[in-house]
Amino acid sequence: MYVTLTPAYGRDYKSQKAVKADWAAGKDFIIETFGHPHEGKPINKQDADGTTDTYNVRYDQKREAVKVQ
């Protein structure tokens, strides 16, 4: 399943590099995929490592996206 994430706790990013750095550091992101069983819940890299899903993070006020896993 393709899962869209947004930064948690009011964070936002201006570059893909910053998104990937925080993802690798284990920061939380919010699941924003309609119909996902955990929609609205936080997830981080450690949680995602146990799944077969593909994750994209929306950043720069949700105007850009980057694949993180």
Side-chain angles (χ1 to χ4, degrees), residues 34-48:
F34 181 75
H36 190 280
H38 302 292
E39 180 183 9
K41 305 283 184 186
I43 189 170
N44 59 37
K45 184 179 185 328
Q46 291 77 20
D47 298 333

Side-chain angles (χ1 to χ4, degrees), residues 7-65:
Y9 316 120
R11 290 190 323 269
D12 197 10
Y13 303 97
K14 294 294 181 188
S15 70
Q16 290 183 9
K17 184 178 178 180
V19 173
K20 290 180 179 183
D22 274 4
W23 178 257
K27 300 251 177 128
D28 286 340
F29 292 81
I30 303 297
I31 297 172
E32 296 285 342
T33 301
F34 181 75
H36 190 280
H38 302 292
E39 180 183 9
K41 305 283 184 186
I43 189 170
N44 59 37
K45 184 179 185 328
Q46 291 77 20
D47 298 333
D49 282 343
T51 70
T52 59
D53 295 333
T54 300
Y55 296 92
N56 294 303
V57 175
R58 302 289 302 179
Y59 68 98
D60 196 13
Q61 300 178 0
K62 299 184 182 181
R63 292 183 292 214
E64 302 288 337

